[in-house]
Amino acid sequence: MVVGEEKMSVRKRLSKSRNHAEQEEEGQRDCTEETQETPSNGRVDLKWLISKKIQLTAEAEELKPFFMKEVGSHFDDFVTNLIEKSASLDNGGCALTSFSVFEGDNNHRAKDLRAPPEHGKIFVIRRSVLDELFEVDHIRTIYHMFIALLILFILSTLAVDYIDEGRLVLEFNLMSYAFGKLTIAMWTWFTMFLCALTVPYFLFQRWARGYHRTSHPVVYSFVYCFLFVVFQTGVLGLGPLYVVLAYTLPPASRCIVIFEQIRFIMKAHSFVRENVPRVLISAKEKSSTVPVPTVNQYLYFLFAPTLIYRDNYPRTPTVRWGYVTMQFAQVFGCFFYVYYIFERLCTPLFRNIKQEPFSARVLILCIFNSILPGVLILFLIFFAFLHCWLNAFAEMLRFGDRMFYKDWWNSTSYSNYYRTWNVVVHDWLYYYAYKDFLWFFTKRFKSAAMLAVFAVSAVVHEYALAVCLSFFYPVLFVLFMFFGMAFNFIVNDSRKRPIWNVLMWTSLFAGNGVLLCFYSQEWYARQHCPLKNPTFLDYIRPRSWTCRYVF
């Protein structure tokens, strides 16, 4: 069927090309006839020339949207088919190319050449979506608009400080507070890195080299599995958490520790999960060689911008250090952008809340006033981390596959949005949570597998927020687990009309406003209504509902 469709598409393209050639010939004949109608004395009729130019311009403007739509759809189909064909490799290294559609004798092999699903993610050299879009002047203008908005934020802050203080206040108090005790955070990261580098590799190597010789492989494997789980939960799990709580790190420093903790746990799991089946297959085939990766391969994986382990990745030939510098500069620019958003839009909003109890009126006003800064922070987090930060490390490591995200902004369903917003994390959840769940409980429980993935993702997100903000307020968990789950089934991939993209953006804007409003109110309530002897329940009970604080 695939080959037949490709043949039909080829015939359509050939017929289109013939029609296009015939149209060009007719156009040339019309042009010749029109030129013959011009005055024979060699003079050009200026009015006729202007009217003809206007006519051609109008025709071009009418054809432009159809042309752009056709080019966009054909380009998307071409890239998708190209990626699928490049991924359809057999063990001998052969690939199904576009030329094979003309080879009738080999068409029956097309299905066999496709990579089976159990082979997992296939990496190919490709650029990030924004790097391609920024080559279009219209898209780059939007980037310039955000820079202009940052300049206005800076000028507004400087002007207000000069009017209030009578001088230019260049003190970044909020920034210095958020990144306080950074030295402790960096030492904690270095310790986590050494542990993640040595312990999983040592445990896997010892298990792999002894698995062939043991007479009790199940008990032997259970012991090493238990040690690995103890390392994941005790060393990488509780160790950084103890440092964060014992040293009372500020929010940004906590984010560094907690996010890196989660990343190392996911990386260690991927390394073991991808290599254990290889050792089992080697033992089953009674091979003399044990497939244990080298330390350099594992070290490269720990820094590579992916959570899926491979011995080798597609690499780019050179490192563009100017590109790396630009990406890191944009990351720091986004930090200052977020700082000025909090300084100009968030702090005045919550400091000006009057002495009135928690009510529906206060809540609704807070949510709508928080939508703009919430959306801006969402864009900046996406651009700073998923584009700039990951691309900078990918360029330094010559990591070829830069598909860290897709065009999530065009999503007409939440299921597509979840797949395209953060491809790096989605791949890990898909292969190690969703597919492993289906493998363990058979493929009949797809809804249960999806529910389990949502639960894991919601719990991890809420854990990171609770530790970073020093309080438990499960607003994100409720939005993610209940509303996000409902939208995933209701607004599914069958919704293709543009109105669904509008609804997706509307709900996304409202959701970010809810998150910023609730968490900011709770943060200020706990700052200005502290308890002398707080109990455990005080850490999980919302204080913004009862606190009447004065600024």
Side-chain angles (χ1 to χ4, degrees), residues 266-320:
M266 298 171 75
K267 291 251 185 185
H269 177 84
S270 176
F271 173 75
V272 174
R273 172 64 180 81
E274 293 290 340
N275 286 287
V276 165
R278 299 165 59 186
V279 176
L280 297 178
I281 294 174
S282 175
K284 184 179 180 180
E285 296 175 352
K286 297 182 180 180
S287 175
S288 58
T289 59
V290 180
V292 178
T294 63
V295 178
N296 289 335
Q297 290 174 328
Y298 181 50
L299 178 62
Y300 180 89
F301 169 64
L302 287 180
F303 285 98
T306 180
L307 297 174
I308 307 295
Y309 175 81
R310 294 290 183 269
D311 287 341
N312 298 289
Y313 299 93
R315 308 281 290 274
T316 55
T318 58
V319 178
R320 300 170 295 170

Side-chain angles (χ1 to χ4, degrees), residues 375-387:
V375 171
L376 291 175
I377 293 172
L378 172 71
F379 290 156
L380 291 171
I381 291 175
F382 158 74
F383 183 72
F385 177 70
L386 291 175
H387 180 74

Side-chain angles (χ1 to χ4, degrees), residues 142-155 337:
I142 301 176
Y143 172 75
H144 296 160
M145 292 165 61
F146 274 88
I147 296 178
L149 188 60
L150 172 60
I151 295 173
L152 291 178
F153 273 129
I154 296 174
L155 293 178
Y337 211 140

Side-chain angles (χ1 to χ4, degrees), residues 305-520:
T306 180
L307 297 174
I308 307 295
Y309 175 81
R310 294 290 183 269
D311 287 341
N312 298 289
Y313 299 93
R315 308 281 290 274
T316 55
T318 58
V319 178
R320 300 170 295 170
W321 291 107
Y323 179 85
V324 175
T325 304
M326 184 63 183
Q327 300 307 310
F328 280 126
Q330 291 180 133
V331 171
F332 286 111
C334 289
F335 282 153
F336 284 100
Y337 211 140
V338 173
Y339 165 77
Y340 282 111
I341 289 175
F342 274 103
E343 191 72 22
R344 301 307 310 156
L345 298 179
C346 296
T347 303
L349 171 64
F350 297 102
R351 281 184 176 174
N352 291 331
I353 296 178
K354 299 179 181 179
Q355 291 189 43
E356 50 185 313
F358 188 84
S359 62
R361 177 181 178 278
V362 173
L363 180 61
I364 292 174
L365 290 177
C366 176
I367 290 175
F368 280 100
N369 289 330
S370 301
I371 287 178
L372 177 59
V375 171
L376 291 175
I377 293 172
L378 172 71
F379 290 156
L380 291 171
I381 291 175
F382 158 74
F383 183 72
F385 177 70
L386 291 175
H387 180 74
C388 298
W389 185 264
L390 295 183
N391 269 293
F393 275 87
E395 188 67 29
M396 288 189 295
L397 296 172
R398 297 193 293 116
F399 185 83
D401 198 336
R402 313 287 175 88
M403 190 62 70
F404 309 126
Y405 55 91
K406 297 179 183 178
D407 56 337
W408 56 269
W409 46 86
N410 292 326
S411 298
T412 55
S413 65
Y414 265 87
S415 55
N416 185 69
Y417 169 75
Y418 293 141
R419 290 193 300 267
T420 56
W421 158 258
N422 188 342
V423 175
V424 180
V425 175
H426 171 266
D427 288 340
W428 193 94
L429 290 172
Y430 176 73
Y431 288 109
Y432 303 140
Y434 180 76
K435 297 197 72 173
D436 284 355
F437 185 95
L438 292 180
W439 171 79
F440 190 79
F441 293 101
T442 71
K443 295 183 178 181
R444 293 177 297 176
F445 302 98
K446 290 187 177 182
S447 298
M450 187 178 298
L451 179 63
V453 171
F454 266 90
V456 170
S457 182
V459 168
V460 173
H461 279 80
E462 193 58 45
Y463 160 77
L465 269 179
V467 176
C468 294
L469 297 178
S470 303
F471 58 82
F472 177 73
Y473 199 23
V475 179
L476 179 62
F477 182 85
V478 172
L479 291 179
F480 200 96
M481 193 63 194
F482 295 99
F483 292 97
M485 174 71 73
F487 287 151
N488 182 68
F489 287 100
I490 297 173
V491 189
N492 50 39
D493 288 331
S494 62
R495 316 294 185 180
K496 300 295 183 181
R497 299 179 62 183
I499 186 63
W500 294 105
N501 181 254
V502 175
L503 294 177
M504 193 275 294
W505 274 109
T506 303
S507 59
L508 197 63
F509 286 176
N512 281 276
V514 169
L515 292 176
L516 183 61
C517 171
F518 273 84
Y519 284 109
S520 297

